[in-house]
Amino acid sequence: MNILQQFRLDGKTALVTGCKRGIGRALTLALAEAGADIIGVSATLAADDEVAAEVRALGRKFSGYACDFSKREELYAFISKVRADHQRLDILLNNAGAIKRRPAADHDDALWDEVLETNLTAPFILSRELGGDMARRGSGKIIFIASLLSFQGGVNVPSYTASKGGVARLVMALSNEWAARGVQVNGIAPGYIATDNTAALRADGQRGADILARIPAGRWGAAEDLQGAAVFLSSSAADYVTGTILTVDGGWMGR
């Protein structure tokens, strides 16, 4: 197999959470273009959603599901449905997430619980159940979408920072257990990407300017900037890469 063929995902099936928009949509399309069939899930995904049509236009299968990951009972029902509908899962991309901006002193239990459930607990349960199936089989790829706040504290987002710090450690914990069983577990930490999650920052003139001034690349990232990292970590080219967080941040963490 030549080096470019190692990046192909033909014959693989990938489950992408939060596939409907932003980073999740971009990564869904990247995996499909690389050859994978897609199991897509978002809280409000419809059967005729645009991302489904885009995947099918690439010649790949798309199976869509709606699930609110902040609700534990919905999550377990979704896992049961996926197991019933699909014989094999090769790639699990834990992308779905939530962010609630409020100072710590005003960050109430409901906000904390929703963000931790969505960003940390749900990805763990998905990985335990579906990644556990991979480990028993002896092969698979799991990718978590981490954050720059896996390494830094952030401002006015304590629940998000706690959840993404936990995601980074979870990547390492699962990798330590499953690397010898043929499952590679890694994370991608996006920098400041122009998506709905950063709309408030970009709309804040001074804060947005301060962020931009610190990015060595001199621009906000696009969701498409993460596509290459996701394909790489999903492919056989990354069979000896595990337990790491790959930053895609325009140089932010090197500043």
Side-chain angles (χ1 to χ4, degrees):
M1 184 184 299
N2 68 38
I3 187 60
L4 292 181
Q5 288 176 325
Q6 290 184 40
F7 289 84
R8 294 293 306 172
L9 303 177
D10 301 288
K12 304 295 186 181
T13 298
L15 192 161
V16 183
T17 71
C19 70
K20 183 174 180 176
R21 58 195 175 113
I23 290 172
R25 175 181 168 276
L27 301 188
T28 294
L29 296 179
L31 299 186
E33 189 171 345
D37 292 325
I38 302 296
I39 303 167
V41 56
S42 286
T44 59
L45 192 69
D48 59 349
D49 201 275
E50 184 177 349
V51 68
E54 291 174 313
V55 168
R56 291 172 183 141
L58 292 168
R60 311 302 171 198
K61 298 176 183 176
F62 183 91
S63 301
Y65 301 85
C67 179
D68 181 346
F69 286 169
S70 71
K71 298 176 180 177
R72 191 80 58 92
E73 67 278 5
E74 286 194 29
L75 174 62
Y76 278 111
F78 166 68
I79 292 170
S80 295
K81 184 68 171 163
V82 167
R83 281 175 163 157
D85 293 348
H86 303 278
Q87 292 185 338
R88 179 186 176 102
L89 178 66
D90 302 288
I91 301 157
L92 171 60
L93 203 165
N94 287 307
N95 165 75
I99 187 167
K100 302 294 182 182
R101 300 184 185 278
R102 194 172 297 175
D106 302 317
H107 213 84
D108 61 36
D109 289 358
L111 293 181
W112 179 271
D113 290 346
E114 179 183 350
V115 172
L116 268 291
E117 188 75 21
T118 302
N119 293 6
L120 184 58
T121 301
F124 169 68
I125 292 172
L126 281 167
S127 300
R128 182 190 67 204
E129 297 299 314
L130 301 178
D133 293 342
M134 295 176 184
R136 285 184 285 274
R137 186 182 68 225
S139 67
K141 307 280 186 178
I142 302 175
I143 303 167
F144 289 81
I145 299 302
S147 169
L148 295 183
L149 299 191
S150 296
F151 313 104
Q152 300 176 324
V155 178
N156 294 333
V157 287
S159 58
Y160 183 82
T161 299
S163 70
K164 292 301 185 176
V167 161
R169 302 288 81 76
L170 185 57
V171 164
M172 297 175 186
L174 295 180
S175 175
N176 289 342
E177 291 194 33
W178 291 344
R181 300 178 69 180
V183 179
Q184 292 80 52
V185 185
N186 293 290
I188 299 171
Y192 285 91
I193 308 297
T195 65
D196 291 348
N197 275 359
T198 59
L201 295 178
R202 288 180 284 119
D204 182 334
Q206 186 58 55
R207 184 82 194 284
D210 290 345
I211 289 170
L212 186 60
R214 184 181 158 161
I215 302 172
R219 66 175 176 87
W220 286 73
E224 289 75 16
D225 288 319
L226 303 165
Q227 291 178 315
V231 170
F232 166 60
L233 292 175
S234 298
S235 73
S236 62
D239 281 352
Y240 200 61
V241 179
T242 191
T244 196
I245 306 292
L246 175 58
T247 56
V248 183
D249 63 356
W252 177 280
M253 289 300 296
R255 188 70 178 249

